[in-house]
Amino acid sequence: MTGLLILAALSFTDPGRGDLELGIGGGAWIPTGSDFETALSAGPMFEAALQIPMELSSCIWLRSGYRSASTDSAAWDGITCIPLQIGYRSYPFYHRYAGQRGLEPFVGIGAGGFVAWDEPADGDEDGVSSGGGIVSIELGTRIRLGEATFMDVVLRPEWMPCGKELAGEDDLSGLSAVAVLHFTP
């Protein structure tokens, strides 16, 4: 009898944990600049993600999306940005035989690039487009919503220097706060 219980415990797998996941969500992009002085205001962001498991306590992710921020400057309406990142996420408190849990904290890192452009307030001027790199750290928690459906709530400090000045800013670093619904296709 003891042997059957041990065999049952060893064969338990967390449903959906080893499967490819798709994610879609949104939140707020808060550009602050590296020196925390910027004319940009927080704006909406949307993202789509692909999460690929490496093992039960970690994964690789790929994400892209859309971000925009308005500015206090009278000469500009704002900035629009499309990032593309790849990264690694670890679930440090994951234990294979812990059973179903409702909350699961995670940490991660990411890197990639972005394309951004500014929007002049008057139609007489042309906007400028530029690109740059992104390095981010992510802190968050995963909330189980169903058998293989999760909501990730994430806060990401990001370093985003620009190649050219956009709407009077040369650094789009800041924070992004997002909630992403993950599911297996």
Side-chain angles (χ1 to χ4, degrees):
M1 182 69 168
T2 305
L4 286 174
L5 289 176
I6 292 172
L7 183 60
L10 291 175
S11 65
F12 174 79
T13 58
D14 197 2
R17 184 62 162 198
D19 295 337
L20 179 73
E21 294 179 7
L22 297 177
I24 188 161
W29 178 39
I30 309 159
T32 61
S34 294
D35 56 1
F36 296 97
E37 291 184 24
T38 182
L40 296 174
S41 301
M45 66 177 285
F46 304 97
E47 74 179 35
L50 182 63
Q51 189 162 294
I52 306 157
M54 292 174 54
E55 54 190 51
L56 295 177
S57 64
S58 63
C59 66
I60 293 175
W61 49 257
L62 177 67
R63 70 173 160 247
S64 185
Y66 169 86
R67 302 173 177 195
S68 67
S70 60
T71 182
D72 297 337
S73 172
W76 307 98
D77 284 338
I79 292 177
T80 302
C81 177
I82 297 178
L84 177 62
Q85 287 184 282
I86 188 167
Y88 171 81
R89 179 181 288 174
S90 175
Y91 298 88
F93 300 114
Y94 178 80
H95 299 288
R96 181 175 179 162
Y97 307 112
Q100 304 292 332
R101 293 181 291 170
L103 291 174
E104 190 170 11
F106 59 81
V107 296
I109 57 171
F114 67 91
V115 174
W117 58 93
D118 55 18
E119 300 159 9
D122 56 9
D124 297 336
E125 290 186 42
D126 290 334
V128 175
S129 62
S130 182
I134 302 174
V135 176
S136 66
I137 298 170
E138 61 177 21
L139 304 168
T141 190
R142 173 165 271 216
I143 303 165
R144 181 179 294 278
L145 299 177
E147 189 69 21
T149 307
F150 305 92
M151 176 70 70
D152 289 352
V153 179
V154 189
L155 180 65
R156 293 184 202 115
E158 299 172 322
W159 181 59
M160 297 176 62
C162 287
K164 293 182 187 175
E165 191 172 281
L166 298 172
E169 304 292 332
D170 61 355
D171 189 351
L172 301 179
S173 299
L175 296 171
S176 60
V178 64
V180 181
L181 179 66
H182 281 266
F183 54 91
T184 55

